[in-house]
Amino acid sequence: MASRLAAQMYTIREFTQTADDLADSLAKLSGIGYEAVQLSAIGAMDGDHPHISARQARQLLEDNGLKCIATHRSWRALSEATEAEIAFHRELNCEFVAIGGLPHEYAALGAGGYARFVEEAAPTIAHLKEAGIRFGYHNHDFEFQRIGLGQRTMYDLFIERGGPDFNLELDVYWAVHAGVNPVRIFERCPGRVPVIHLKDKEVVPKDGPVMAPIGEGNLDWAGILPACLEAGVEWYAVEQDECRRDPFDCLRSSFEYLTALGL
């Protein structure tokens, strides 16, 4: 069975600032054994005058036996320049795009902003879908703030009102950090979590809980990974926002742990 692991390149964002750096980094990821990546925070591709185009990035990926299974793009670009974003993803041969959090203009409105975003995002999500591109929302911890009485959170608004095309790029670390069991989310959202983010949470002297390579922390992978399978997760993107040692070594450690479990 082909690997379902991808490297979330935000992990190595400091090593993608130029075309040469990006090429070297992709070669290292391929050498570890990754067959796919999520393109995020790629300095060589950012700005009005990027070092490389989407087509050139795809060629670099293919040269290293990699494919782009997801991106992170801004909501402004997706909503205001949708056709350009569709063309960008077609150049990459990528069929999934996520945003990295709720846009500020919506977040500033609290719970009402979450509901408003679900409603106002629908036409753009439908437009992307028509072009063969699925949309997803990547969480941190703040989406799990309680609203009103009981256990409801702002994330519940996405689950309950987003509909089948509002996919959830669940970051299991941030869910756990917020005190939420990600297994319960997977149980509620079958078919809506095609791509997820994985990292671990380790307790170290003096610093307390920190992000860690998968298998080096305390997340309940024996419970989480079967729930992912049941929910229909297609790609497991390994991401570590902060690394206490070389990030490529962290990505290697996570890869080896997860492949040993059959991913």
Side-chain angles (χ1 to χ4, degrees):
M1 183 176 66
S3 172
R4 290 173 289 169
L5 295 177
Q8 212 310 41
M9 295 193 65
Y10 183 78
T11 309
I12 53 170
R13 56 195 178 277
E14 296 178 3
F15 301 90
T16 65
Q17 298 304 303
T18 69
D20 288 343
D21 287 345
L22 178 58
D24 290 343
S25 294
L26 293 175
K28 289 180 180 179
L29 294 177
S30 180
I32 291 171
Y34 285 99
E35 297 178 9
V37 300
Q38 177 168 3
L39 293 180
S40 176
I42 307 297
M45 300 179 70
D46 288 343
D48 295 332
H49 304 287
H51 291 255
I52 61 171
S53 65
R55 179 173 296 183
Q56 291 169 320
R58 177 176 173 179
Q59 187 61 58
L60 286 177
L61 290 167
E62 292 177 351
D63 289 346
N64 287 284
L66 297 165
K67 56 185 174 182
C68 176
I69 54 88
T71 67
H72 268 182
R73 304 290 285 176
S74 75
W75 177 247
R76 173 166 295 188
L78 290 171
S79 60
E80 297 181 6
T82 313
E83 288 297 334
E85 287 296 309
I86 290 170
F88 177 87
H89 285 81
R90 284 178 173 165
E91 289 282 13
L92 287 171
N93 194 29
C94 177
E95 299 176 351
F96 185 85
V97 58
I99 60 172
L102 195 67
H104 174 75
E105 61 269 27
Y106 293 99
L109 301 176
Y114 283 70
R116 180 176 172 182
F117 177 75
V118 170
E119 179 181 353
E120 295 184 356
T124 296
I125 293 173
H127 192 168
L128 292 169
K129 181 182 179 181
E130 290 174 0
I133 300 170
R134 291 180 288 180
F135 169 85
Y137 179 93
H138 172 274
N139 64 282
H140 291 86
D141 53 359
F142 53 82
E143 293 90 351
F144 297 101
Q145 297 174 64
R146 298 276 187 89
I147 51 175
L149 300 175
Q151 302 298 314
R152 287 177 52 76
T153 68
M154 294 187 184
Y155 200 76
D156 287 322
L157 295 175
F158 291 159
I159 295 175
E160 296 166 3
R161 302 188 188 183
D165 296 330
F166 193 108
N167 292 296
L168 302 167
E169 188 184 51
L170 183 66
D171 188 309
V172 299
Y173 172 95
W174 285 116
V176 170
H177 189 72
V180 174
N181 185 346
V183 173
R184 302 286 86 81
I185 298 175
F186 288 123
E187 290 172 347
R188 296 173 64 190
C189 303
R192 289 179 62 190
V193 283
V195 179
I196 63 169
H197 282 186
L198 303 180
K199 49 182 166 277
D200 217 330
K201 189 172 187 178
E202 179 184 10
V203 178
V204 299
K206 297 183 181 180
D207 291 336
V210 297
M211 295 177 181
I214 299 160
E216 297 184 18
N218 295 320
L219 265 66
D220 178 22
W221 300 112
I224 293 171
L225 294 179
C228 295
L229 185 63
E230 287 293 321
V233 172
E234 299 168 21
W235 288 99
Y236 301 74
V238 177
E239 178 187 50
Q240 195 171 330
D241 309 31
E242 299 175 0
C243 299
R244 291 166 58 83
R245 63 179 191 268
D246 179 72
F248 291 98
D249 185 56
C250 292
L251 288 171
R252 179 185 298 278
S253 181
S254 294
F255 180 86
E256 291 175 349
Y257 180 84
L258 290 169
T259 53
L261 295 179
L263 287 183

